[in-house]
Amino acid sequence: MSATLIERDGDAVEPPDRAAIEEHLSSGEFFWLDLQDPDDSDFEVLRDAFEFHPLAIEDSQDFGQRAKLETYGDYIFLVIYGWSPDDDGLVEVHCFYSERFLVTVHRDDAPALDELKKSCAARRINVRDPALTLHRVVDGLVDSFFPVLDGFDVELDELEGDFFRAPGDEPLQRLFSMKRRLATLRRAIAPERDVFAHLDRDEIPGLDTESAHYFRDVSDHLYRLAETIDNFHELTLAAMDVFLSTSSNRMNEVMKQLTIIATIFLPLSYIAGFWGQNFRFMVDHVGSAAAFVLGGMLLQLVTAIFLVVYFRRKQWL
């Protein structure tokens, strides 16, 4: 478990004990509490010190939810996703927000939140404005997806080149992996887009007209992300069609070459079989090396050359 309490001026208390948290709550000054991989004692503090609703506590313990926003009196419960360097590439963040505090709960690493903490420590930003602090958290998590999608663009270009240079199972497996990762991102981002697209200013405590502009910007970023993911999804399907078409064309070329080889050997096999039946003519006339070369080998060579020339004229070769 890792806990960090960010005070108004950006000072960090790490890790904060229960007494420090209760002291900040009683002071009335806004603060940000970040809990990574919380245990039962942390949820006990959320339940007893913050007095969150039992349903909100239950939701905060249950990871794997869709993005959503729920209002509980003077605070809200928000589920939002960002990028994380793990297997699924996602970090699910549960936010409790009011004009007195912001509590973020997550299990996986959240690089976007770590960057905000570093900015607070360097005094580049502070957490004096509650609505702006919530926006920074949400915006940082949302924007963390853009570099990931840029990587998809580069990877897709490489895959398309591999399909022509060295087609095989490995590029196809990478393409399927990309398709699964895009599906995972779509399942996370699409609900987020819906949440912020229909966000009512009255749903977020302390949100004034100026702060609402920032959240509309988050909605715009989510629409861009959703559109980019849809475009990449279509491109992966097109790349898969290219791969299947390339594989089919390559298979056709191989089959054509094998068919031509078999066709060339077919008359040769007939000639060898026909003259190999011990005709009396063969016994009487093929008695020297020259006759063997002329009747046994030259005839087959001429036949093979004739077939190759014929195939080239037909543009089969």
Side-chain angles (χ1 to χ4, degrees):
M1 187 274 293
S2 174
T4 305
L5 190 150
I6 308 295
E7 298 176 333
R8 285 172 58 87
D9 294 328
D11 294 330
V13 179
E14 190 175 12
D17 56 16
R18 178 165 180 167
I21 294 174
E22 291 178 343
E23 179 181 351
H24 280 79
L25 279 172
S26 60
S27 69
E29 292 187 350
F30 183 82
F31 65 94
W32 171 25
L33 176 64
D34 181 61
L35 302 175
Q36 179 176 349
D37 196 17
D39 53 26
D40 292 339
S41 62
D42 295 313
F43 287 110
E44 182 179 348
V45 172
L46 298 182
R47 181 176 57 252
D48 297 338
F50 288 89
E51 299 181 349
F52 291 143
H53 194 282
L55 290 178
I57 295 294
E58 182 180 346
D59 282 346
S60 67
Q61 294 175 304
D62 182 19
F63 285 82
Q65 302 185 52
R66 288 170 57 89
K68 63 179 181 180
L69 187 151
E70 296 177 344
T71 303
Y72 292 91
D74 63 343
Y75 68 91
I76 62 171
F77 176 70
L78 175 66
V79 177
I80 191 168
Y81 283 85
W83 175 78
S84 177
D86 56 10
D87 293 337
D88 63 355
L90 294 175
V91 55
E92 180 180 350
V93 181
H94 298 171
C95 303
F96 295 91
Y97 166 78
S98 78
E99 294 185 76
R100 297 183 297 118
F101 55 77
L102 170 63
V103 180
T104 52
V105 182
H106 53 98
R107 288 179 178 170
D108 301 324
D109 291 334
L113 300 186
D114 293 337
E115 286 298 320
L116 287 176
K117 294 177 191 175
K118 292 178 182 178
S119 297
C120 289
R123 293 295 195 275
R124 292 193 296 268
I125 62 173
N126 56 55
V127 295
R128 291 178 177 274
D129 189 323
L132 183 58
T133 301
L134 176 63
H135 167 264
R136 284 174 175 155
V137 168
V138 171
D139 188 59
L141 291 170
V142 170
D143 287 353
S144 65
F145 287 117
F146 282 107
V148 179
L149 293 180
D150 290 340
F152 274 104
D153 194 13
V154 175
E155 185 177 359
L156 189 58
D157 288 341
E158 293 176 352
L159 279 175
E160 290 177 346
D162 291 342
F163 288 158
F164 294 99
R165 289 192 301 268
D169 292 338
E170 193 271 338
L172 186 61
Q173 290 174 359
R174 288 171 58 195
L175 183 62
F176 277 117
S177 174
M178 179 185 296
K179 194 168 178 291
R180 285 193 299 269
R181 283 179 286 153
L182 284 171
T184 300
L185 291 176
R186 176 188 283 178
R187 287 196 298 270
I189 291 175
E192 287 188 30
R193 177 193 59 191
D194 296 338
V195 167
F196 286 94
H198 303 93
L199 183 65
D200 189 343
R201 199 181 80 182
D202 295 335
E203 292 182 289
I204 298 180
L207 186 64
D208 55 20
T209 304
E210 180 64 25
S211 300
H213 294 320
Y214 290 99
F215 283 92
R216 282 202 296 269
D217 183 65
V218 171
S219 177
D220 177 65
H221 289 186
L222 287 168
Y223 270 100
R224 286 169 51 196
L225 286 171
E227 290 175 355
T228 303
I229 290 174
D230 289 340
N231 290 337
F232 277 128
H233 179 71
E234 294 176 1
L235 289 174
T236 55
L237 294 179
M240 194 171 299
D241 290 339
V242 170
F243 174 82
L244 295 177
S245 177
T246 303
S247 299
S248 178
N249 291 338
R250 188 174 295 271
M251 179 64 69
N252 289 339
E253 288 294 325
V254 172
M255 293 302 298
K256 184 177 74 172
Q257 294 173 7
L258 292 176
T259 302
I260 289 174
I261 293 173
T263 304
I264 291 175
F265 273 92
L266 181 62
L268 303 183
S269 301
Y270 172 77
I271 293 172
F274 180 80
W275 291 107
Q277 299 182 64
N278 297 323
F279 290 128
R280 179 59 180 265
F281 177 84
M282 297 290 291
V283 177
D284 293 340
H285 295 84
V286 182
S288 65
F292 172 75
V293 170
L294 181 62
M297 299 182 64
L298 188 60
L299 180 60
Q300 297 193 40
L301 181 60
V302 170
T303 303
I305 294 174
F306 170 78
L307 290 174
V308 170
V309 172
Y310 178 75
F311 289 156
R312 285 190 179 276
R313 287 182 176 274
K314 290 289 187 178
Q315 296 184 347
W316 294 347
L317 277 177

